[in-house]
Amino acid sequence: MMDSLNVDVALIESYLDRLYVIGALPGGGAWRPVYSLAWNEARQAIRGWLEEAGLAVREDAVGNLFGRLEGVEPEPVILVGSHVDTVYAGGRLDGALGVVGAIAAVRAIRARHPRPKRSIEVFVSCEEEDSRFVCDFWGSRALLGQIDPAEAERYRDADGITLAQAMRQFGLDPRRIPEARRSDVGAFLELHIEQGPVLDREGIALGVVEAISGLNRTAVRVAGRADHAGTTPLAMRGDALVATAAMVLAMRGLAEELGEPARATVGRLDVHPNQPNIVPGVVDFVVDSRHPDRALQQRLLAEVQRRCENIGKSHGVVVETSVLVDQPPTPMSPEIVALIERVIERRGWSYRRLVSGAGHDSQILGRQIPTAMIFVPSRNGRSHSPAEYTPLEQIIPGVQALADAVEELGCT
Ligand code: GLV
Ligand code: MN
Ligand code: MN
């Protein structure tokens, strides 16, 4: 057996620190929405690190970045990485850890195997979070050739800018999106924080993901009638926000009825005209619903729509729903899961299998490419918040295991 690979701990810490400054918000946390200045600044920093690591860097038609270590066999390629974008006021590690961990892993591999058997590439996905456009795993769908270029004209951010316009600001031509498609990838590995409490609570070093939950996002438009807040009798109102309030509570009740691990969340509301002295005329909101069982995911989705429509009727407002995202649960590759477990056992670390409640690029790529994920603990399970935290000593085993697994896949 070969000696263990050693990843560069100081480098990992300094790269994570550097990324967390980019897009930092005054109130804490960072925001690097796709095709923003902060997003681009982070990509430029990462591009430099990929070059310093001796990798051949390439950008695709949507702005995904790749850093390639050329193997004896050009394909199939082993891909390793995560996303560079963040949620609004996101933490230090969501996405960033998987990118930095991949660079550290491939650097360590290159030091020992300047020309590995297979080609290995760091993948920096341009968009995973839906934090600016609800565009449904833009980076990884592009890689699989699953984006219709017309989608880029359809999605708008909160300021009304289309995704196509946002792309053009960075010299990316939406008509070329199909060129991002790859068919030379043989495996994908992603390191991530758990974003939930299980590993932390159980004191287990690492999680090996066996499946990723199904995910839906449903847009709901509630149309009532804007009226004077002081003069309009309650019985004469078509208050879109009062109806919406009932729907928000109903979504919570629905997930409770279905039981763990069903989820239903309303995290975003847009109230029109959003004035203190006007009865709200229109509310737009998004229901994020999730379940790891496809049949229950679909039942949950159908109930989201049905309950919103029924509540709308009883409040005398018009409800329209449209499903923006429908991603089924994705099992991870049993072979790569077993390989990851072997490398963790060799190191003597504790681990357990987990189902990811969070969405990941692995959920998309895993449907066509053998894929697996490694989780490190999240302190108190906190994530999608500046409170996201994992101490470096708990991060390093994840990066080591990633490096070991990629080395086995790429070099033996
Ligand atoms: C992505 O982080 C998601 O699970 O929403
Ligand atoms: Mn996230
Ligand atoms: Mn993530």
Side-chain angles (χ1 to χ4, degrees):
M1 200 184 84
M2 290 185 285
D3 298 339
S4 298
L5 276 179
N6 285 315
V7 296
D8 185 336
V9 175
L11 186 100
I12 292 166
E13 190 172 32
S14 78
Y15 284 0
L16 287 172
D17 286 344
R18 170 80 188 103
L19 278 182
Y20 198 34
V21 175
I22 304 176
L25 298 173
W31 193 27
R32 297 192 297 271
V34 68
Y35 309 135
S36 66
L37 292 174
W39 168 87
N40 193 47
E41 189 182 337
R43 283 169 68 260
Q44 295 319 320
I46 293 166
R47 172 183 275 275
W49 300 337
L50 294 169
E51 281 163 1
E52 273 164 41
L55 307 178
V57 182
R58 183 177 72 81
E59 176 183 291
D60 74 8
V62 292
N64 291 321
L65 276 180
F66 301 91
R68 181 175 173 104
L69 174 60
E70 193 65 42
V72 176
E73 300 166 10
E75 58 181 82
V77 173
I78 314 297
L79 219 56
V80 51
S82 194
H83 58 101
V84 63
D85 70 320
T86 70
V87 290
Y88 179 80
R92 180 170 179 259
L93 299 166
D94 182 359
L97 173 62
V99 170
V100 168
I103 297 171
V106 177
R107 273 181 83 113
I109 291 169
R110 180 171 177 268
R112 184 142 84 185
H113 312 269
R115 190 83 202 264
K117 185 161 178 235
R118 298 189 181 82
S119 299
I120 300 170
E121 289 186 33
V122 175
F123 168 47
V124 184
S125 168
C126 67
E127 199 282 342
E128 186 263 2
E129 295 283 16
D130 277 359
S131 73
R132 179 173 176 191
F133 307 94
V134 181
C135 55
D136 192 10
F137 299 93
W138 193 245
S140 39
R141 282 200 303 128
L143 191 144
L144 293 184
Q146 291 178 348
I147 296 178
D148 169 1
E151 287 184 51
E153 303 290 347
R154 210 156 58 223
Y155 306 132
R156 286 181 189 274
D157 71 5
D159 299 321
I161 297 171
T162 66
L163 196 150
Q165 287 169 322
M167 286 182 77
R168 285 192 208 100
Q169 282 172 354
F170 290 94
L172 300 165
D173 179 352
R175 288 170 305 186
R176 301 184 66 172
I177 291 172
E179 292 172 21
R181 177 172 185 189
R182 296 185 65 162
S183 49
D184 59 341
V185 179
F188 177 55
L189 279 86
E190 183 174 12
L191 173 67
H192 210 281
I193 50 168
E194 181 198 332
Q195 307 182 277
V198 176
L199 297 173
D200 187 46
R201 194 189 284 153
E202 296 182 2
I204 294 174
L206 294 170
V208 184
V209 177
E210 53 187 350
I212 301 176
S213 235
L215 163 65
N216 290 105
R217 293 206 169 107
T218 305
V220 184
R221 165 157 285 210
V222 182
R225 214 178 62 188
D227 274 309
H228 196 294
T231 58
T232 316
L234 302 185
M236 285 176 61
R237 295 184 179 198
D239 187 325
L241 186 54
V242 169
T244 298
M247 293 175 206
V248 172
L249 293 176
M251 296 303 100
R252 169 71 181 230
L254 170 58
E256 281 171 2
E257 268 170 48
L258 227 66
E260 280 291 317
R263 306 274 183 260
T265 307
V266 177
R268 177 176 177 163
L269 286 179
D270 291 302
V271 180
H272 312 278
N274 210 24
Q275 294 293 318
N277 55 356
I278 304 179
V279 175
V282 175
V283 178
D284 286 303
F285 65 97
V286 178
V287 184
D288 177 303
S289 60
R290 310 189 190 205
H291 205 289
D293 178 293
R294 179 63 173 166
L296 291 173
Q297 178 198 355
Q298 286 171 320
R299 197 165 118 203
L300 182 59
L301 174 64
E303 280 296 305
V304 164
Q305 295 168 293
R306 198 181 68 82
R307 291 189 190 194
C308 289
E309 280 156 17
N310 285 347
I311 291 168
K313 279 193 199 114
S314 68
H315 282 253
V317 295
V318 177
V319 173
E320 273 171 49
T321 62
S322 62
V323 179
L324 305 178
V325 175
D326 182 20
Q327 294 297 348
T330 307
M332 300 288 92
S333 152
E335 289 76 25
I336 307 182
V337 165
L339 164 69
I340 290 170
E341 289 177 338
R342 272 201 312 279
V343 303
I344 296 174
E345 276 163 20
R346 220 157 56 201
R347 295 264 186 181
W349 291 319
S350 58
Y351 69 90
R352 60 162 285 170
R353 291 192 181 191
L354 285 169
V355 172
S356 173
H360 298 286
D361 290 302
S362 287
Q363 166 164 22
I364 306 304
L365 299 186
R367 242 170 268 135
Q368 288 189 21
I369 298 166
T371 292
M373 295 188 77
I374 300 169
F375 279 174
V376 297
S378 290
R379 177 72 55 87
N380 297 321
R382 302 292 308 275
S383 187
H384 281 187
S385 148
E388 192 174 271
Y389 177 70
T390 307
L392 190 63
E393 63 271 18
Q394 290 185 4
I395 284 177
I396 297 309
V399 185
Q400 289 288 176
L402 182 74
D404 291 352
V406 173
E407 183 184 41
E408 281 231 11
L409 280 170
C411 310
T412 58

